[in-house]
Amino acid sequence: MAKQLDYHTIREIFTRFQAAEAEPKGELDHVNAYTLVVAVALSAQATDAGVNKATKELFKIADTPEKMLALGEEGVIEHIKTIGLYRNKAKNVIKLSRILVEHYGGEVPNSRAALESLPGVGRKTANVVLNMWWGHPSQAVDTHIFRFGNRSGVCPGKDVVAVERAIEDHIPVDFQHHAHHWMILHGRYTCVARKPKCAACLIRDLCQFEDKTE
Ligand code: SF4
C-alpha cells in the first residue's frame, strides 16, 4: 500500500483527469433510477459489457418495478442467464421490485439506508446510485478503485471502507463528484491489474507505485 499523497499532488492528479475527460460517464446502461439500481445489482462479479448485453432487451420490457413483477422471476432469468449468479440475482430483482412497489410507491428511495435495505443492494450499489443518479458525492469503491488508490497513493486503505474514507477526506470537494468515474476508468483501462500501463499513464510522475512498468 502506498502512503497517502498530499493535497497538492492529488489536486494535480485530478486536474489532469479533468483535462483529459471533463464529463466521465459510467458504462452501465440504464434509462431511469430503477434500471440503474437493477443494472448495478446485476453487475456484481460481472462485466458492465456483459450486463448491458443482458439488460438491453430486459429494460425494453421492464423499466419499472411494476413491469418487472409482471415479467416474473422466470422471465427475468430468461434475459439474464448469461450473467454469473443469475438465479440469485433474478430472485433479488423481483424481491426488490416488490419492496419498491409496496413501500416506496414504485420510486427508488434516495437515502443510503433505504437503498441498502433492498435485497441484493449493498453499500457499493447504494453509493453508485447516490452518485450517478442523485449527484451525491458518495464513493463506491470497486476493485479498480481499490487497486488504483492503493498503488498510486490517491486513496490508500486496507479495505473498501478505509478507501472510501480516504477519498472523502483527501480528494478536493470540487473533484469529488466525478472522482468515482475517473478512477474506475483509469483502473479499468490504464492501471490494470496484471500489467499496469505506466508508460502511457498521465500521472506516472506523481504516482507512488514502486513497481511501475516500462
Ligand atoms: S503509473 Fe502505473 S501504477 Fe501508477 S497509476 Fe499509472 S498505471 Fe497505475
Side-chain angles (χ1 to χ4, degrees), residues 30-37 107-110 126-136 138 177 181:
H30 58 282
V31 295
N32 53 27
Y34 169 69
T35 50
L36 177 60
V37 171
E107 302 291 326
V108 174
N110 64 355
N127 278 332
V128 172
V129 174
L130 289 171
N131 181 298
M132 283 177 65
W133 194 260
W134 300 107
H136 188 274
S138 54
H177 177 51
H181 286 130

Side-chain angles (χ1 to χ4, degrees), residues 187-201:
R188 185 177 288 163
Y189 296 111
T190 305
C191 196
V192 294
R194 285 178 59 193
K195 197 166 183 281
K197 299 172 184 167
C198 301
C201 178

Side-chain angles (χ1 to χ4, degrees), residues 148 151-152 186 190-192 196-199 201-205 207-209 211-213:
F148 164 72
R151 278 177 176 166
S152 63
H186 195 70
T190 305
C191 196
V192 294
K197 299 172 184 167
C198 301
C201 178
L202 79 173
I203 60 160
R204 182 190 166 94
D205 56 321
C207 170
Q208 302 269 313
F209 190 47
D211 300 317
K212 292 194 187 95
T213 57

